[in-house]
Amino acid sequence: MALVIAGERSGVGKTTVTLTLLASLRRRDRLVQSFKVGPDYIDPMFHQHVTGRACRNLDPVLTSEAYVQQCFAHHSQLSEYALVEGVMGLFDGIGHQEWGMGHGQEKQKSTDFASTAHIARLLDLPVVLVIDCSRLSGSVAAIAHGYRSFDPRIKIAGVVLNRIGSDRHLSLLKDSLEPLQLPILGTLRRQDNITIPDRHLGLVPTAELPELNALIDRLADLGDTCFDWQRLLPLLKSKSLPHSPHLPHPPSSSIRIAIARDRAFNFYYQDNLDLLQQLGAELVFWSPLEDAGIPKNLQGMYFGGGFPEVFAQQLAENSSVREAVKTAILKGMPTIAECGGLMYLCEQIIDFEGKYWPMAGVLPTSSVMGGRLTLGYRRAVALQDNLLVKANTTVYGHEFHRSHLTLTPTQPLFKTSRYDCEENMGCEGWGLPANVHASYVHLHWGESREIPQRFLKECLKVASSATWI
């Protein structure tokens, strides 16, 4: 057993409710494992800050339905309680072809693939529906009834009423819901003193919020009083194992991978990092913002996504690191650079104000910030053998950025299209030098162990040739 926190639409307060639950559980010294539906990086940062445990993404597009089930089963067993935060509205998913169960096994179009409802069905978990009550009273019953009856496979355990304005408002909401006999598991008043700042790609990450601990304390105070814990705790209880399963000891290796992790670069799926370690790599975390140079004795580098445009001036001013990164790559250092990492390897970043900031200068192009948001799942077919995949291999990833490049690569890594249709999204990704994989497409390696294996194989060549950087 565990619980899914879902919303009737985006913006109803799922993350606030989830963090409030997590903060209150941790105040009670409960060991809790959290999960996030979808490709999100920032919400999981907040989860981890509260729980002290890495949040795991559950995304059947980036991985598979089987991987979602395996990931949840493994990590939820290692804690007392488990909680899944949904994405968008409960039934908001993407188009996906599924085989029907008729005589002809006809193909049918599913529109809630990768939705919160899809994950709840896959994991057979009950759902708590968060409803924004700020602009309704009696209509709350119609909303709750509609969501409960829309898909009989979804078990609605109860509702959390958010943004309640007054005692009178709460009374009207309760009276309206009473005929449904649907448990009210939480009631949250409007909280003017609890806000998480956001910007052009969502919430501001945890590393940039010096007052975050005070905010979490306020959420814990709220959680202690606003939830029906007698009903919630049994739903949150996970099937924990008496002992943690034995993980195979990674083989000894001389592979050291530098992972750029600071305020500018912090978008990583924990499963990707785990895979590198399980395959024998030593991960060395460092900061292109703060450090005077790159770590010593490396055989590979990994630059995740993040907000290099926000810290472009500081990155530009750290010229010794920029030069060291460029030198290492030109000497043959295998390097992965996703989205923000790709931007850092460009000649420069041109920010929202039109200011030019020099970057590592590995790729002969510039990254320009703009108002247009590029967002969505991608089907990407490799056009050539590259650092991570062989030619003609199909991978599934996600794009989320407000920048574009001034020049396109002459030999791109991928031909991309939307996941849910055949719409061509063009060619993208830089693989020159050949030891670089620089792309806007974020990949979750989940079931694709061959991706990190291929990367580490190239890193081993550096180690065996004694090309220590």
Side-chain angles (χ1 to χ4, degrees), residues 62-326:
L62 299 184
T63 58
S64 71
E65 292 180 318
Y67 184 86
V68 166
Q69 292 171 322
Q70 294 163 8
C71 178
F72 178 81
H74 172 69
H75 292 289
S76 64
Q77 289 172 348
L78 305 180
S79 61
E80 299 174 80
Y81 298 94
L83 187 64
V84 180
E85 180 184 350
V87 61
M88 299 188 292
L90 176 57
F91 298 103
D92 295 331
I94 59 173
H96 184 75
Q97 298 292 341
E98 294 182 343
W99 290 103
M101 298 304 293
H103 286 294
Q105 284 289 295
E106 65 275 8
K107 241 182 179 181
Q108 299 175 339
K109 189 78 168 181
S110 164
T111 58
D112 76 345
F113 189 84
S115 69
T116 305
H118 181 202
I119 299 303
R121 294 195 303 266
L122 273 180
L123 304 179
D124 193 24
L125 297 180
V127 171
V128 170
L129 184 67
V130 179
I131 302 177
D132 179 358
C133 301
S134 60
R135 292 178 176 84
L136 56 84
S137 56
S139 299
V140 70
I143 294 172
H145 174 68
Y147 275 82
R148 183 168 66 173
S149 60
F150 182 75
D151 185 345
R153 297 171 296 176
I154 301 299
K155 298 173 290 187
I156 304 292
V159 296
V160 169
L161 307 180
N162 193 23
R163 298 171 185 153
I164 299 167
S166 64
D167 290 342
R168 173 61 177 159
H169 187 199
L170 177 58
S171 179
L172 290 171
L173 294 168
K174 286 183 174 180
D175 289 346
S176 299
L177 288 167
E178 186 175 6
L180 298 182
Q181 296 184 322
L182 186 63
I184 298 174
L185 300 176
T187 56
L188 282 72
R189 303 297 179 104
R190 292 172 183 161
Q191 303 294 324
D192 295 331
N193 66 332
I194 298 178
T195 57
I196 303 174
D198 59 7
R199 59 173 172 233
H200 56 278
L201 291 182
L203 298 179
V204 174
T206 54
E208 299 179 51
L209 299 176
E211 304 299 323
L212 181 57
N213 287 333
L215 171 64
I216 299 303
D217 285 340
R218 292 196 294 273
L219 288 174
D221 292 339
L222 177 64
D224 290 345
T225 58
C226 73
F227 294 121
D228 185 343
W229 287 104
Q230 189 172 357
R231 282 174 161 168
L232 274 172
L233 281 178
L235 295 173
L236 290 162
K237 189 76 174 176
S238 64
K239 298 177 182 178
S240 57
L241 296 175
H243 302 288
S244 298
H246 173 71
L247 293 176
H249 185 73
S252 58
S253 169
S254 57
I255 302 177
R256 281 168 49 90
I257 308 297
I259 311 292
R261 189 163 71 180
D262 55 20
R263 290 169 297 154
F265 305 101
N266 44 41
F267 290 4
Y268 296 97
Y269 294 123
Q270 184 62 42
D271 290 8
N272 287 8
L273 302 181
D274 288 351
L275 271 174
L276 289 173
Q277 289 181 306
Q278 291 167 17
L279 292 169
E282 176 189 353
L283 306 186
V284 184
F285 296 97
W286 72 292
S287 171
L289 280 173
E290 306 289 348
D291 291 345
I294 62 176
K296 303 297 184 183
N297 299 335
L298 296 179
Q299 289 77 49
M301 294 190 295
Y302 187 178
F303 293 88
F307 291 99
E309 68 274 16
V310 175
F311 302 97
Q313 181 175 353
Q314 191 174 346
L315 289 169
E317 290 173 349
N318 198 348
S319 57
S320 60
V321 163
R322 291 191 290 108
E323 288 299 321
V325 167
K326 181 176 183 178

